[in-house]
């Protein structure tokens, strides 16, 4: 990665974003050495301007930022680092440096879709998702039907916890079926957006 460290006197801003929730967690600065250490350790390391040294986020708290991906912007002078945080990010104890909650929300569905796509391509042994793909579209469709019925039963005669549990099963099996047919939840989103107009 060829970055322009000279524009800001040897540093580049590094925007830290949660891979699963897409929340921006914090902003730090890196010099070349910090970036190299981050790439090698797969834990985000900054150059601390106040301490005048490298600083691995979580070195004292244990709340490391585990690197998923690193990308440079179009000007090659800013980084976007997607991470899986091991705990709160801010020194105040907040999830983010803006005081926001970093809660999994609907964006986890995108992560799940991507995960199921990988399962569909790689078909690893011992995976439940792989077993569904191998059984074919009829079995996948049957599972969607079964989970839909269980969701209805919980909605009408069950508990709130049971309803959410069964609805989650329904959503998972629907994404597997969509994937097997060459579609994704994005296709459902586009269709619903069209109808919303």
């Amino acid at each position: 990665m060829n970055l322009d460290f000279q524009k800001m006197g040897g540093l580049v801003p590094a925007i830290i974003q949660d891979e699963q929730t897409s929340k921006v967690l914090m902003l730090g600065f890196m010099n070349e050495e910090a970036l190299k250490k981050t790439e090698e350790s797969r834990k985000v390391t900054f150059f601390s301007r106040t301490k005048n040294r490298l600083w691995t986020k979580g070195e004292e708290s244990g709340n490391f930022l585990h690197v998923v991906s690193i990308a440079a912007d179009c000007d090659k002078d800013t980084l976007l680092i997607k991470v899986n945080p091991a705990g709160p990010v801010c020194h105040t104890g907040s999830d983010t440096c803006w005081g926001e909650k970093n809660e999994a929300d609907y964006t986890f569905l995108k992560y799940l879709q991507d995960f199921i796509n990988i399962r569909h391509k790689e078909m690893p042994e011992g995976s439940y998702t792989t077993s569904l793909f191998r059984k074919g579209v009829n079995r996948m469709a049957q599972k969607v039907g079964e989970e839909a019925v269980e969701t209805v039963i919980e909605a009408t005669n069950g508990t709130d916890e049971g309803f959410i549990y069964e609805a989650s099963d329904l959503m998972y099996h629907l994404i597997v079926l969509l994937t097997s047919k060459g579609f994704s939840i994005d296709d459902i989103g586009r269709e619903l957006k069209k109808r919303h107009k």
Side-chain angles (χ1 to χ4, degrees):
M1 188 177 311
N2 188 20
L3 292 172
D4 183 359
F5 283 97
Q6 299 317 307
K7 191 182 282 187
M8 290 185 61
L11 299 175
V12 294
I15 300 162
I16 309 302
Q17 181 182 37
D18 189 300
E19 165 69 10
Q20 293 186 29
T21 66
S22 295
K23 286 272 188 190
V24 174
L25 303 176
M26 68 176 293
L27 171 72
F29 290 89
M30 291 184 169
N31 60 11
E32 289 184 69
E33 189 181 359
L35 176 58
K36 184 177 180 192
K37 185 171 180 186
T38 297
E39 290 172 328
E40 289 172 356
S41 70
R42 306 308 290 172
K43 292 177 183 168
V44 174
T45 298
F46 297 107
F47 179 79
S48 171
R49 295 168 298 163
T50 53
K51 298 174 186 173
N52 198 33
R53 67 170 177 86
L54 294 187
W55 164 64
T56 299
K57 178 71 178 122
E59 65 188 25
E60 293 176 14
S61 66
N63 296 336
F64 294 104
L65 299 171
H66 299 281
V67 175
V68 176
S69 66
I70 302 173
D73 75 337
C74 56
D75 292 325
K76 304 288 186 200
D77 63 3
T78 303
L79 292 170
L80 175 63
I81 303 177
K82 295 186 179 181
V83 301
N84 288 319
V89 172
C90 187
H91 69 280
T92 64
S94 178
D95 288 353
T96 79
C97 288
W98 290 270
E100 297 176 308
K101 281 277 185 206
N102 184 27
E103 296 175 337
D105 54 17
Y106 68 90
T107 58
F108 178 77
L109 292 175
K110 181 190 177 328
Y111 170 83
L112 182 61
Q113 177 71 72
D114 293 344
F115 182 83
I116 290 171
N117 286 342
I118 291 167
R119 283 287 194 258
H120 192 235
K121 286 178 191 152
E122 297 177 357
M123 300 289 274
E125 291 299 326
S127 159
Y128 175 69
T129 307
T130 298
S131 73
L132 288 172
F133 285 128
R134 288 197 172 135
K135 289 175 182 170
V137 72
N138 288 347
R139 178 61 182 143
M140 286 180 269
Q142 181 184 7
K143 282 299 291 179
V144 170
E146 289 171 9
E147 298 302 340
V149 169
E150 290 171 10
T151 300
V152 169
I153 290 168
E154 282 296 330
T156 56
N157 295 309
T159 64
D160 289 346
E161 294 81 10
F163 171 64
I164 292 298
Y165 184 88
E166 294 302 339
S168 299
D169 278 353
L170 173 60
M171 185 65 75
Y172 161 78
H173 286 91
L174 179 59
I175 294 172
V176 170
L177 180 60
L178 283 164
T179 303
S180 76
K181 299 287 288 177
F183 296 105
S184 75
I185 54 173
D186 291 335
D187 295 297
I188 292 176
R190 279 188 286 274
E191 177 63 22
L192 290 171
K193 188 175 180 183
K194 237 181 354 186
R195 294 181 191 185
H196 185 66
K197 293 177 183 175

